[in-house]
Amino acid sequence: MNRIILMGRLTRDPEIRYSQDGRQMAIARYSLAVDKRVQREDGVTTDFFNIVAFDRRAEFAEKYLRKGTKILLCGHVQTGSYNNRDGVKIPFFEVVVDEQEFAESKNASSQADRTQSRTQQSGYPVDQNGFMQIPDDIADELAFD
């Protein structure tokens, strides 16, 4: 049995292309970041999967999925290889989507986006209420007492 179930966030917007054969079929490719339950010894806490969706599932991805969207998907693993321009054989591993759905509400997703952008702007983590987590030892850097 070849079945995989993943829940994670898109690392980029889906890239959409259409097949050139008689029936134009949508093909979506994106990457999914999936958190590990346990941190590895080398500190890695996330796995990244290359995802490909066809036809209606690709059209869904094009219309609704964006970088940062948390989704749950079921699919199957596809492996293979190709020769690059230099003639070197390159193996690949990707997950082909059979089913996909949102893993959180739109409000939760937009809250996560706002929190992430605030963290990036300030450099300090932001709690769920939008307040910055300022370190205790920052008093020395303040211009006022």
Side-chain angles (χ1 to χ4, degrees), residues 76-111:
H76 59 276
V77 174
Q78 177 174 287
T79 62
S81 63
Y82 64 92
N83 292 327
N84 69 7
R85 293 179 182 152
D86 299 328
V88 177
K89 192 173 189 177
I90 306 294
F92 70 85
F93 171 101
E94 61 190 4
V95 176
V96 179
V97 175
D98 295 327
E99 303 171 50
Q100 61 190 349
E101 59 187 67
F102 295 107
E104 66 185 0
S105 70
K106 190 172 185 178
N107 288 340
S109 178
S110 63
Q111 175 69 24

Side-chain angles (χ1 to χ4, degrees), residues 11-12 26 29 45 51 55 59 65 68 74-75 80 85 98-99 107 110 120 127 129-130 139:
T11 62
R12 59 186 163 89
R29 292 185 180 280
T45 59
I51 311 295
D55 213 13
E59 292 168 357
L65 301 183
C74 298
R85 293 179 182 152
D98 295 327
E99 303 171 50
N107 288 340
S110 63
Q120 290 171 348
D127 69 14
N129 296 318

Side-chain angles (χ1 to χ4, degrees), residues 18 21 27 29 49-50 65 67 77-78 97 107 121 126:
Y18 290 88
D21 59 5
I27 303 166
R29 292 185 180 280
F49 293 89
N50 292 321
L65 301 183
K67 178 180 177 179
V77 174
Q78 177 174 287
V97 175
N107 288 340
Q121 290 171 0
V126 178

Side-chain angles (χ1 to χ4, degrees), residues 18-59:
Y18 290 88
S19 64
Q20 299 300 318
D21 59 5
R23 176 180 165 250
Q24 280 203 343
M25 177 176 57
I27 303 166
R29 292 185 180 280
Y30 54 91
S31 180
L32 196 68
V34 178
D35 290 334
K36 295 177 177 290
R37 288 185 181 243
V38 179
Q39 182 175 341
R40 289 189 343 204
E41 289 178 17
D42 59 4
V44 175
T45 59
T46 307
D47 285 321
F48 296 90
F49 293 89
N50 292 321
I51 311 295
V52 62
F54 297 98
D55 213 13
R56 291 188 329 265
R57 290 172 285 286
E59 292 168 357

